[in-house]
Amino acid sequence: MREKGTPPAASSATGEEVTAGKGIESGSVRARRVPWRMMNGYFFVGPAILFFLFVSVFPLLRTLQMSLVDVEAGVPKFVGIRHYTDLVQDPWFWNSLRNVLVFTISSVILHISIGMGLALLLNEEWFNTTLRNFMRGLLILPWVFSTASSGLMWTLLYHPFGLLNYMWVGLLNQEAPIEFLAKPGLAMASVVAVNTWKSYPFYMIIILGGLQAIPAEIYEAAKVDGANAWKRFWHVTLPQLRPILIAISTIDIITTVGHVDLIRMLTRGGPLRSTETVAYYIYKTALLDGNLGYGAAVSTLMLIMLAILIIIYLRVLSQGGDAGETSF
Amino acid sequence: MKRASDFRFRHGYLIHQIFIVSLTSLSAIVILTPVVWMINAAMRPIKEVLTYPPRLDPSQLTFEYMASLIENDLYRGYFVNSSIISLSTLAIVIVLGLLAAYGFSRFKMGGGRIMLLGIMALLMLPTVTLIVPYFRLAHLVGLYDTRLGLIVVNSAFILPICIWLLKGYMDAIPVDLEEAAMIDGCTRLQALQRIVVPLAVPGIVGTGTFAFIFAWNEFLLAVTLTDTPDAQPLTIGLAAFFGQFVRDWNSIMALSTITSIPLMIIFVLFQRWVVQGMTSGAVK
């Protein structure tokens, strides 16, 4: 799959020459082939690109434009950068920025470390492959559920009389049940726990794929050199996984920053706005409070921050391409 | 000498196996607890679930909560909406995705690399950054509170990953087969339809499952672009139900279970291809 980017195109060109040669005996084939060659790839790529232009790129530009406008009582009014100057002075925006940092950093660390741990277990030699695949299926299962369902499952577990509090009060003999979603410090940790549960399988599978791609000879060589399991992990596995870990942490940061549904289901930003992330703040100001222009300004700022991250990531990725690491 | 090391090897192997299997099983039990508990609460009077200690008597299990939801027109409507939205989204992204993936995989185009990079960037675009213009534009073009509106915007967010995954599969299919078909008089489109698509079936199944799960679980776009149960999918039904002041946990959990059943079935059937697609997409 790697260095295939160019050869198909090159060989399809020779393919056309061959058909042209054959076309002497069947004129109809040749007649049909000419317009195909003219339209070439654009014919296939066109529909998707047009779709993106209308449904993704145009709305994206509208976000920028709407951030400079105030739409009140249906009449748009140009306000320039006023939303942005308001934003800088808005303590709740800074609050949401701080929350999203805590939320994202802890989620990403947990996703990748739990995903790594379970992927290492699944990558070991199992006496029975069917059992291994069954376990893999069970461990992926949380990924299948909707955020809405996951939120509900966990709200039930977090309930004052739920399973977790039964363990806390009933088994550990504590006095009062823990209010997982109602205490300012704890609520964020509870939301992170649900996010970890919901999303680690994706990263586990990708890391597992990466582990399976590491050639066994490197491990053999390390064993011969007397490296123990920990040293093999540190000096062989981790460096080999580096490109994948960079990729998934970037993807993870971006998806985690964008979570609205999880917070909407679990805490609605509370208690005391301690779980209100930037994404939830956009949803709240734009859709719940109806302040579309301000919401667009927060969106734009979020886009700029993510764009910087994406550009860095694509840079890393295309540099890898020159070394033959990626499909670019 | 040989026998001794052999014995030690086997002994170590056994301990290693017990360690691996028990640790994995333990993790699986912990991880599946919320799911089991949801199903438990969907089938047992809630007074017996939310209590210390929770009762686990199997004779108390009942299907009445789920049955009463299935009989309810409102929730059947949500189910129909979710099905229509997810299946239509699936159809759109597979057709557009196959064409685009084929184009990117087989042709050298001016701007091809930039278009691919653009798709890669769209792949990472968070939904929340577009809800403001979508809300406004949907009102302007009359797609607010319609299933069609949701189908279109869902597709826009799923299509990039579909193109990416399908392109990976197509890159792995040798070009010679199509060339042979075209020498025999096939057009490009026929070659795609008769040669490439049948060979890419595992990739299409994996990508399709991915797309379906994404569309079925989508929440934010639905909450932005719909207002009445005429167009709302199940995820919104769940949130609306949950938001009510008095919480009927039995019905909520029953609805949550019913919502998840199609996903679990699809996942069990297609797990192999989903995993394959996810790994191959990442390793590149």
Side-chain angles (χ1 to χ4, degrees):
Chain A
M1 228 162 273
R2 264 133 249 195
E3 299 132 52
K4 278 239 168 106
T6 44
S11 46
S12 81
T14 55
E16 270 156 19
E17 274 164 37
V18 172
T19 19
K22 278 249 172 180
I24 301 164
E25 41 190 48
S26 53
S28 64
V29 173
R30 185 186 222 174
R32 235 186 295 157
R33 291 214 38 84
V34 175
W36 279 116
R37 206 185 305 165
M38 269 163 54
M39 289 195 259
N40 63 44
Y42 295 114
F43 171 82
F44 291 94
V45 177
I49 297 295
L50 279 180
F51 186 78
F52 284 135
L53 285 179
F54 281 108
V55 190
S56 307
V57 179
F58 174 64
L60 199 62
L61 298 175
R62 281 289 300 229
T63 306
L64 310 186
Q65 184 236 338
M66 284 177 78
S67 72
L68 305 174
V69 173
D70 224 355
V71 195
E72 265 162 34
V75 189
K77 196 179 79 194
F78 184 76
V79 294
I81 59 159
R82 206 192 70 209
H83 287 310
Y84 291 96
T85 51
D86 286 352
L87 199 56
V88 178
Q89 290 161 351
D90 179 356
W92 291 119
F93 170 69
W94 293 106
N95 171 57
S96 69
L97 202 61
R98 202 168 48 238
N99 287 337
V100 80
L101 272 178
V102 175
F103 179 57
T104 307
I105 293 172
S106 42
S107 294
V108 171
I109 291 173
L110 284 168
H111 286 157
I112 291 181
S113 47
I114 291 177
M116 173 77 90
L118 292 172
L120 284 171
L121 277 177
L122 290 173
N123 193 46
E124 285 293 320
E125 202 182 306
W126 284 59
F127 68 95
N128 185 330
T129 325
T130 317
L131 180 69
R132 189 195 83 115
N133 289 347
F134 176 70
M135 284 294 178
R136 187 186 65 187
L138 288 185
L139 292 174
I140 303 173
L141 206 60
W143 176 75
V144 173
F145 295 101
S146 66
T147 318
S149 285
S150 323
L152 292 174
M153 287 177 203
W154 280 85
T155 315
L156 185 68
L157 289 182
Y158 285 152
H159 192 278
F161 289 95
L163 192 61
L164 289 175
N165 269 315
Y166 163 64
M167 289 176 183
W168 177 250
V169 179
L171 299 180
L172 296 174
N173 285 320
Q174 301 294 321
E175 277 175 19
I178 307 174
E179 294 185 71
F180 286 97
L181 295 171
K183 265 177 132 178
L186 198 58
M188 180 57 93
S190 308
V191 176
V192 168
V194 183
N195 186 30
T196 304
W197 178 83
K198 167 91 185 74
S199 303
Y200 84 85
F202 183 77
Y203 305 103
M204 176 187 85
I205 288 303
I206 292 175
I207 295 173
L208 184 60
L211 287 174
Q212 283 164 350
I214 301 176
E217 297 92 64
I218 308 185
Y219 286 109
E220 298 296 327
K223 259 186 190 166
V224 170
D225 290 345
N228 59 23
W230 169 249
K231 278 196 172 150
R232 284 198 300 266
F233 173 73
W234 193 253
H235 294 290
V236 178
T237 312
L238 272 188
Q240 290 281 320
L241 284 182
R242 206 186 79 101
I244 286 182
L245 291 180
I246 294 175
I248 58 178
S249 37
T250 315
I251 294 169
D252 197 7
I253 290 171
I254 291 163
T255 42
T256 309
V257 164
H259 271 310
V260 174
D261 38 9
L262 190 72
I263 291 158
R264 162 76 172 66
M265 291 309 287
L266 287 167
T267 62
R268 299 186 179 219
L272 303 174
R273 301 176 91 158
S274 66
T275 54
E276 191 176 277
T277 62
V278 175
Y280 192 82
Y281 193 57
I282 296 174
Y283 166 75
K284 192 173 162 179
T285 45
L287 295 183
L288 302 184
D289 306 343
N291 202 342
L292 290 179
Y294 197 65
V298 187
S299 301
T300 308
L301 215 60
M302 182 168 161
L303 274 172
I304 293 170
M305 291 189 274
L306 290 180
I308 295 170
L309 197 71
I310 292 176
I311 288 167
I312 295 172
Y313 169 63
L314 289 178
R315 269 278 157 77
V316 174
L317 210 68
S318 19
Q319 273 166 5
D322 298 334
E325 267 180 33
T326 67
S327 55
F328 278 116
Chain B
M1 180 74 185
K2 175 134 204 294
R3 191 173 286 166
S5 75
D6 216 38
F7 172 75
R8 204 177 302 150
F9 171 74
R10 268 199 206 142
H11 194 62
Y13 181 74
L14 193 66
I15 291 178
H16 183 247
Q17 285 299 311
I18 291 174
F19 176 74
I20 299 277
V21 174
S22 53
L23 200 58
T24 315
S25 315
L26 197 71
S27 319
I29 290 170
V30 172
I31 282 159
L32 291 181
T33 307
V35 183
V36 174
W37 214 240
M38 168 182 77
I39 298 170
N40 183 37
M43 298 178 69
R44 185 192 292 280
I46 199 67
K47 269 184 269 170
E48 300 190 6
V49 177
L50 291 176
T51 181
Y52 302 155
R55 297 208 186 103
L56 295 166
D57 176 12
S59 66
Q60 293 284 321
L61 295 180
T62 162
F63 283 101
E64 99 186 55
Y65 306 113
M66 285 193 245
S68 72
L69 281 178
I70 293 171
E71 282 160 16
N72 186 326
D73 278 340
L74 179 65
Y75 293 100
R76 259 215 307 269
Y78 285 136
F79 198 87
V80 169
N81 287 341
S82 267
S83 309
I84 293 177
I85 293 168
S86 312
L87 291 174
S88 314
T89 307
L90 179 66
I92 291 179
V93 296
I94 290 297
V95 171
L96 290 183
L98 273 174
L99 287 174
Y102 185 77
F104 281 122
S105 168
R106 294 294 192 261
F107 295 94
K108 199 164 190 135
M109 289 170 284
R113 202 186 125 92
I114 293 182
M115 285 192 272
L116 257 184
L117 278 173
I119 287 172
M120 192 70 187
L122 285 181
L123 200 155
M124 296 192 253
L125 188 71
T127 316
V128 67
T129 53
L130 287 187
I131 57 172
V132 176
Y134 277 161
F135 180 75
R136 192 105 178 106
L137 290 170
H139 277 286
L140 284 179
V141 297
L143 286 178
Y144 185 75
D145 206 19
T146 62
R147 288 182 289 231
L148 180 63
L150 275 184
I151 292 167
V152 170
V153 290
N154 272 339
S155 303
F157 282 97
I158 306 175
L159 190 52
I161 182 93
C162 285
I163 294 178
W164 198 251
L165 292 175
L166 289 172
K167 180 182 172 290
Y169 271 94
M170 292 197 175
D171 285 343
I173 297 173
V175 211
D176 315 17
L177 294 168
E178 290 151 63
E179 277 167 13
M182 286 192 294
I183 291 169
D184 291 344
C186 270
T187 61
R188 272 258 174 218
L189 210 56
Q190 284 169 332
L192 170 64
Q193 190 188 336
R194 293 188 193 153
I195 312 284
V196 182
V197 169
L199 284 171
V201 161
I204 295 170
V205 173
T207 313
T209 312
F210 208 89
F212 184 86
I213 292 179
F214 187 100
W216 186 269
N217 288 342
E218 208 293 318
F219 181 89
L220 183 59
L221 290 169
V223 90
T224 308
L225 295 180
T226 60
D227 202 25
T228 61
D230 294 341
Q232 283 173 333
L234 272 167
T235 42
I236 302 296
L238 270 175
F241 209 155
F242 186 57
Q244 282 161 9
F245 191 64
V246 181
R247 281 179 183 171
D248 178 1
W249 279 105
N250 277 131
S251 304
I252 293 170
M253 287 298 150
L255 185 61
S256 183
T257 308
I258 292 175
T259 313
S260 311
I261 286 172
L263 297 175
M264 290 196 268
I265 294 172
I266 288 169
F267 179 69
V268 169
L269 290 178
F270 301 131
Q271 197 219 116
R272 215 180 96 210
W273 293 286
V274 179
V275 170
Q276 218 176 53
M278 277 157 83
T279 26
S280 73
V283 175
K284 263 175 291 160

